[in-house]
């Protein structure tokens, strides 16, 4: 018997809720759907869900939480099952806040039906696989299949991408910061940026980082899994945030 996915739709506009519910039903699959007109109504109900479609601008009464406030409330409940959060918003600017609460994806109103189907399909698979952890997708086995081939010490060497924290350009050479230690060889960071596009992002003229190993960030620096804090160019911030969201979304496929 197929497992039933529990879905919540939280939006203060009834027509939007109805539209999202119709799209969910159109995709098929074993699921139960509950609608909420406010963040407070969701909290008062006290139920747990696998997936929640949440309008960032949803207002509330009493506590007065909006959608982002509700997301932070949910993530703060460590003992509770953590749902996959999919934001629904009329403004793309909110994508930058989505990382703070480990959002799975965001959809911009008016919601495109094809995009919705793609996102919901990935959310279904992610929920059933049980691989979501603090909003980050775990796919280490798949990543280890991918390698960077370099010339080092007069011979070819294949390095799993997942073993690389980041790369630094220094004195016409590239320094690889690896799990096993550092390695330096001749290469151009621009060429590597093009070759590794998708999993790596250039946050500064001297740094090309592995998005798989990003632990956290703010507007001035990125914290890597090895503890290093790297300067994030203010001109690269928006692009980095978008690349990071695209990466963790793709990793759920």
């Amino acid at each position: 018997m197929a497992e039933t996915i529990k879905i919540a739709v939280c939006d203060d506009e009834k027509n939007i809720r109805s539209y999202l519910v119709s799209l969910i039903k159109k995709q098929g699959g074993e699921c139960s759907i509950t609608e909420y007109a406010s963040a407070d109504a969701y909290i008062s109900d006290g139920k747990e869900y696998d997936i929640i479609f949440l309008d960032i601008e949803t207002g509330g009464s009493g506590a007065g939480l909006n959608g982002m406030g509700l997301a932070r409330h949910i993530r703060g409940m460590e003992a509770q099952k953590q749902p996959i959060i999919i934001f629904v918003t009329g403004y793309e600017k909110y994508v930058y806040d989505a990382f703070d609460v480990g959002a799975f994806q965001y959809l911009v109103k008016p919601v495109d039906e094809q995009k919705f189907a793609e996102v919901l399909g990935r959310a279904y698979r992610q929920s059933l696989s049980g691989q979501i952890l603090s909003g980050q997708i775990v796919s280490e086995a798949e990543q280890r299949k991918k390698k960077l081939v370099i010339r080092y010490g007069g011979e070819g060497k294949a390095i799993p991408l997942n073993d690389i924290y980041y790369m630094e350009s220094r004195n016409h050479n590239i320094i690889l910061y690896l799990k096993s230690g550092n390695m330096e060889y001749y290469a151009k960071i621009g060429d590597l940026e093009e070759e590794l596009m998708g999993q790596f992002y250039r946050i500064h003229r001297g740094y090309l980082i592995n998005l798989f190993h990003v632990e956290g960030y703010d507007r001035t620096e990125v914290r890597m899994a090895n503890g290093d804090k790297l300067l994030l160019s203010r001109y690269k911030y928006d692009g980095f945030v978008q690349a990071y969201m695209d990466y963790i979304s793709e990793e759920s496929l």
Side-chain angles (χ1 to χ4, degrees), residues 205-224:
R205 65 183 299 177
Y207 295 124
L208 185 63
I209 66 167
N210 190 342
L211 297 172
F212 185 76
H213 289 302
V214 171
E215 289 272 311
Y217 72 94
D218 57 31
R219 285 193 167 271
T220 60
E221 66 180 22
V222 178
R223 186 175 73 256
M224 305 303 294

Side-chain angles (χ1 to χ4, degrees), residues 4-178:
T4 299
I5 301 294
K6 292 177 288 184
I7 302 175
V9 177
C10 188
D11 194 301
D12 54 11
E13 297 182 59
K14 181 174 176 52
N15 62 321
I16 296 295
R17 294 199 308 272
S18 298
Y19 179 58
L20 294 177
V21 169
S22 69
L23 291 181
I24 294 169
K25 291 180 177 178
K26 187 177 292 187
Q27 304 312 313
E30 292 291 329
C31 69
S32 63
I33 309 168
T34 306
E35 298 180 43
Y36 297 96
S38 71
D40 294 334
Y42 179 98
I43 293 173
S44 297
D45 205 16
K47 294 180 180 178
E48 293 185 354
Y49 292 93
D50 300 299
I51 301 170
I52 174 172
F53 287 92
L54 179 57
D55 176 21
I56 294 180
E57 297 91 14
T58 290
S61 59
L65 286 178
N66 61 11
M68 183 58 69
L70 173 57
R72 293 194 177 101
H73 175 83
I74 292 171
R75 290 300 187 234
M77 300 177 68
E78 296 181 0
Q80 183 172 334
K81 177 180 179 179
Q82 288 295 313
I84 292 172
I85 295 177
I86 300 173
F87 280 126
V88 182
T89 175
Y91 304 94
E92 291 189 8
K93 64 182 180 180
Y94 287 115
V95 63
Y96 305 134
D97 298 320
F99 288 104
D100 296 335
V101 291
F104 180 77
Q105 184 59 282
Y106 70 100
L107 295 168
V108 178
K109 298 176 182 177
V111 177
D112 177 77
E113 185 172 340
Q114 183 176 346
K115 178 69 172 178
F116 183 93
E118 173 195 330
V119 171
L120 181 60
R122 289 193 281 108
Y124 273 156
R125 292 190 292 273
Q126 190 64 34
S127 179
L128 291 171
S129 68
Q131 291 179 321
I132 191 165
L133 179 62
S134 300
Q136 186 104 14
I137 306 305
V138 180
S139 57
E140 186 167 355
E142 183 64 27
Q143 289 304 321
R144 286 192 176 275
K145 297 176 183 178
K146 305 174 184 178
K147 298 184 179 182
L148 172 68
V149 179
I150 68 172
R151 293 291 300 176
Y152 184 79
E155 63 180 13
K157 187 173 183 64
I159 303 171
L161 296 187
N162 200 47
D163 287 353
I164 305 171
Y165 291 110
Y166 66 95
M167 307 174 184
E168 180 183 3
S169 177
R170 187 190 300 174
N171 299 325
H172 305 293
N173 279 353
I174 292 294
I175 301 173
L176 300 179
Y177 291 83
L178 308 168

